Amino acid sequence: MRILAVDTTGKTASAAIWENNTLLAEYTIHDKMTHSQTIMPMIEQICKRFDLSTIEYIACSCGPGSFTGLRIGAATAKGLALGRDIPLVAVPTLDALAYNVFDTSAVICPIMDARRQQVYTAFYEWNENNLCKITEYDALPIVEVIEKAKNYQKNVIFLGDGVTIHKELLLQHKFYLSPSHSLLQRAASVAALAEKLIEEGKVSKSSELELIYLRKPQAEREREQKLKSKVSI
C-alpha cells in the first residue's frame, strides 16, 4: 500500500510517501513560513518523483496541536482524499511523536507547547514491539507533567517542541531528552502508524475526519474571559 502522510500540527511542516513498511520520501521544513505557504508546494515537489495517482491512502496528523496548523493539515488531507476518492487515516499527533522513539524500556513523554506554561501530552511505553498509550491525551502545566513523570520511578524520555521551551527544567530532574533528529513531528512516523491503522481497518472517508482539540482556541478563551469580567462588574 502507498500512503501520503502530512503533519502540520506544530511549527514543523512535514510530508512523506510510504509504501509497504518503507519510507520512499520525506520533506520536512521547520521555518518561519506558514503551513499554508509550505505544505502544498512540499507535496507537489514529492509527487514530481512519485505520481499522486499511485497514492492509495492519505494520512493526516489529527491533533492535538496548533489550531491553525490542524485546520490547514485537515483541509489539505481532505482535499487530496476527496479529489482522488481514496480513504483517509487520522493519526493522533502525540502517538506519532512518541513513535519517533523506538523499542525502549523507558517511558516516553511527548510534550507539545500549549502556551502559558502548559503542554499537550500523554505517556507511552513499548510492549512486545507495540507502542502503548498508558495515559489519556491531556493539556497540563509542565510542572504537573514532571510530577507525573517522576512517579514512574524509571527513565523517562521527553520529546516534542515543549522540550526546547522547558529544557532547563527537565534537565534539572535528570530526564532524558530526545536528540534533535527525532525531537519534532515527522510525517514518516505518521505514515508508519497509518499503515498499522489501515491493517486494523481504521480508515474513514474525508468527510469523517475528526480532529483532537484538548482546549478551546485562544480567541474563544479570551472572549469567554471578557464575558465573565462583564458579568462580575
Side-chain angles (χ1 to χ4, degrees):
M1 68 183 77
R2 183 166 285 188
I3 304 166
L4 171 62
V6 297
D7 192 322
T8 59
T9 56
K11 292 182 179 179
T12 298
S14 187
I17 292 181
W18 181 277
E19 184 175 47
N20 299 329
N21 203 36
T22 302
L23 177 63
L24 299 181
E26 185 178 32
Y27 192 163
T28 299
I29 293 179
H30 183 66
D31 199 6
K32 296 178 181 179
M33 296 178 69
T34 64
H35 295 330
S36 60
Q37 295 174 294
T38 58
I39 193 63
M40 282 307 300
M42 292 164 62
I43 292 171
E44 289 171 2
Q45 187 66 33
I46 286 179
C47 289
K48 286 181 180 180
R49 175 65 179 82
F50 299 95
D51 189 352
L52 187 59
S53 66
T54 64
I55 303 299
E56 299 170 83
Y57 297 91
I58 303 295
C60 176
S61 184
C62 64
S66 156
F67 290 95
T68 302
L70 277 171
R71 293 187 180 105
I72 291 171
T76 301
K78 283 182 176 182
L80 291 170
L82 183 62
R84 299 296 309 162
D85 191 25
I86 56 178
L88 189 62
V89 188
V91 180
T93 305
L94 292 169
D95 293 7
L97 255 177
Y99 208 64
N100 286 357
V101 182
F102 179 71
D103 200 18
T104 174
S105 60
V107 172
I108 304 169
C109 183
I111 52 174
M112 297 174 62
D113 181 33
R115 299 185 180 182
R116 299 183 179 181
Q117 294 296 304
Q118 290 194 336
V119 293
Y120 300 122
T121 190
F123 288 87
Y124 298 79
E125 284 184 324
W126 281 94
N127 183 13
E128 297 182 353
N129 289 325
N130 291 309
L131 181 66
C132 302
K133 181 162 63 76
I134 56 178
T135 66
E136 295 302 315
Y137 308 124
D138 211 342
L140 298 171
I142 185 61
V143 291
E144 188 172 332
V145 176
I146 287 173
E147 289 305 310
K148 287 178 177 289
K150 288 163 61 177
N151 288 337
Y152 285 105
Q153 297 184 340
K154 59 189 302 186
N155 292 336
V156 179
I157 300 173
F158 282 85
L159 73 161
D161 61 11
V163 167
T164 304
I165 297 170
H166 304 292
K167 183 176 182 178
E168 290 186 9
L169 184 60
L170 294 170
L171 289 176
Q172 285 178 17
H173 294 276
K174 303 187 184 304
F175 292 123
Y176 289 89
L177 308 182
S178 180
S180 298
H181 70 275
S182 59
L183 184 66
L184 302 177
Q185 289 94 327
R186 291 188 59 189
S189 294
V190 174
L193 277 180
E195 186 174 62
K196 291 181 177 293
L197 292 173
I198 292 166
E199 291 170 352
E200 296 169 4
K202 296 178 181 178
V203 300
S204 61
K205 297 178 180 178
S206 59
S207 60
E208 298 172 344
L209 176 63
E210 293 185 3
L211 300 178
I212 299 173
Y213 294 111
L214 297 180
R215 295 196 317 181
K216 296 178 180 179
Q218 183 176 349
E220 188 173 337
R221 296 197 308 270
E222 290 176 353
R223 177 177 175 275
E224 290 179 350
Q225 188 61 41
K226 288 180 180 179
L227 291 174
K228 286 181 181 179
S229 298
K230 288 181 180 178
V231 171
S232 61
I233 293 176

